[in-house]
Amino acid sequence: MGRVSLSGKVAVITGSSRGIGKAIAIDLAKQGVSIVLNGRNQERLNEAKLAVEKIHTKVITVCCDISEKGAGKNLIKTAVDHFGKLDILVNNVGVSNRGNVGEVDPEVFEKVFASNLFSAVNPTITAIPELRKTKGSIVFISSLAGIRGIPGMSAYCSSKMALRAVAESIRLEEKANNIHVGLVFVGITQIEHNKEAISADGSMQILEKRDGKKGVQSMEYVAGVVTKNIQKRKFIYTLTGIGKLNSFMQARFPMLVEKIILKNLHKFEERRQ
Ligand SMILES: NC(=O)c1ccc[n+]([C@@H]2O[C@H](COP(=O)([O-])OP(=O)(O)OC[C@H]3O[C@@H](n4cnc5c(N)ncnc54)[C@H](OP(=O)(O)O)[C@@H]3O)[C@@H](O)[C@H]2O)c1
């Protein structure tokens, strides 16, 4: 299938006040898409809005914690009330964790699942009836950590794997309604300053900068892949050569993958930063 024009479409991108979500909003705006930005901090949202307004003025912000019950309904309803329809929902909100299972406070799993699974399910439930009308798209932003469980990030890995199950179910349920469902497995990407992850004790820790590090993708590149996924109405896209290899090997030779990881445990320790 060729690329579908996105001009005149309306998109909600959760967690789009900074990082990859903001880059996706900017990339979609360049395609002529009206944008609904979301985040928990109004100042950050205002900055992101200014960035989109350099492209066009069809942008609004909805400040809410999308992991909370009711927030998804409010976000989608605000988008439809303002722009008259919904064509695209990008479920981008997500947070990572650090710490082996034997060390983490159980609250870590609750926080990570709230952020990564409930933040995606909440808006999706209200969005589906709207997307049936427009034969629109739902895209879930996953991670290479969602392909197999890796050490020190079990809550993150399991929450991203749960997204795959949700995406697969919706594809079957909504096939007859022509809703496109995308699932993008993102590799290690540049981060904004002060990006946080959840530590083993449940507190937030600031991640080290990744500027200049080998194998780190730009946010703009990831955003371009997401736009292409929507235009081509594809299901799964896995970023990076390593990601594609990992996905192939995990499906066919999982025990070999385990052996390779065990031999390289020190590299996983380093990457947790
Ligand atoms: N960066 C990477 O290397 C990488 C790799 C693979 C996958 N990913 C995935 O890509 C997605 C984006 O990652 P990122 O690195 O761009 O993250 P980020 O820099 O931490 O940005 C997260 C965005 O979501 C907002 N947000 C967080 N929790 C929210 C909530 N509960 N309700 C509403 N908004 C919320 C944040 O704004 P506020 O804090 O102001 O609310 C911010 O706009 C995530 O799903 C992540 O798992 C990232």
Side-chain angles (χ1 to χ4, degrees):
M1 184 191 243
R3 291 197 194 193
V4 174
S5 167
L6 300 183
S7 182
K9 308 259 184 215
V10 175
V12 170
I13 305 107
T14 68
S16 44
S17 61
R18 63 178 177 170
I20 293 170
K22 180 177 165 189
I24 294 169
I26 290 172
D27 203 72
L28 287 175
K30 286 180 184 164
Q31 306 297 322
V33 177
S34 302
I35 301 294
V36 180
L37 298 166
N38 160 251
R40 294 164 300 183
N41 179 308
Q42 190 60 54
E43 269 178 43
R44 270 187 206 144
L45 278 169
N46 292 343
E47 281 174 32
K49 185 167 183 263
L50 284 177
V52 176
E53 279 171 343
K54 286 185 182 150
I55 304 158
H56 64 59
T57 56
K58 291 173 187 159
V59 51
I60 60 166
T61 64
V62 180
C63 187
C64 65
D65 180 341
I66 197 66
S67 70
E68 288 177 359
K69 267 190 211 157
K73 192 171 179 183
N74 176 47
L75 174 61
I76 301 300
K77 199 175 166 322
T78 306
V80 174
D81 286 351
H82 189 87
F83 288 118
K85 62 170 182 164
L86 176 71
D87 299 284
I88 300 163
L89 168 63
V90 182
N91 287 308
N92 168 73
V93 162
V95 70
S96 188
N97 82 291
R98 301 292 183 266
N100 292 347
V101 178
E103 297 155 5
V104 297
D105 187 302
E107 202 195 336
V108 170
F109 274 83
E110 278 177 36
K111 282 187 176 173
V112 172
F113 270 74
S115 170
N116 299 2
L117 181 62
F118 300 155
S119 290
V121 169
N122 286 343
T124 297
I125 291 169
T126 308
I128 284 175
E130 299 300 331
L131 294 171
R132 285 179 189 145
K133 295 178 202 162
T134 56
K135 299 182 176 35
S137 289
I138 307 172
V139 179
F140 295 90
I141 303 300
S142 187
S143 161
L144 298 187
I147 294 172
R148 67 123 49 231
I150 55 175
M153 297 172 89
S154 57
Y156 185 59
C157 295
S158 51
S159 66
K160 290 296 190 185
M161 283 184 187
L163 286 185
R164 179 176 188 135
V166 175
E168 287 174 345
S169 295
I170 299 172
R171 271 175 70 81
L172 297 171
E173 291 163 0
E174 300 300 326
K175 182 83 181 163
N177 295 317
N178 277 312
I179 294 182
H180 157 243
V181 182
L183 179 63
V184 179
F185 290 94
V186 177
I188 297 181
T189 307
Q190 281 170 352
I191 51 175
E192 301 249 8
H193 73 286
N194 291 346
K195 177 180 159 78
E196 294 175 318
I198 302 177
S199 305
D201 64 2
S203 64
M204 302 306 289
Q205 77 178 70
I206 292 179
L207 298 179
E208 265 181 24
K209 284 185 181 169
R210 295 176 182 165
D211 301 350
K213 281 198 177 169
K214 217 177 127 195
V216 177
Q217 308 156 109
S218 73
M219 295 183 234
E220 292 72 23
Y221 178 71
V222 175
V225 165
V226 173
T227 298
K228 201 160 85 179
N229 175 279
I230 297 166
Q231 287 172 320
K232 294 193 149 199
R233 297 178 76 85
K234 293 277 186 202
F235 181 29
I236 290 179
Y237 191 91
T238 306
L239 279 114
T240 79
I242 286 283
K244 288 184 175 71
L245 181 66
N246 183 15
S247 181
F248 175 85
M249 296 284 286
Q250 175 59 23
R252 286 160 186 84
F253 312 107
M255 298 320 289
L256 178 61
V257 176
E258 187 173 288
K259 270 189 191 164
I260 295 170
I261 293 177
L262 282 171
K263 274 201 166 176
N264 291 280
L265 272 183
H266 61 285
K267 290 190 184 161
F268 284 85
E269 295 280 338
E270 287 158 19
R271 277 193 197 152
R272 282 185 210 173
Q273 289 310 307

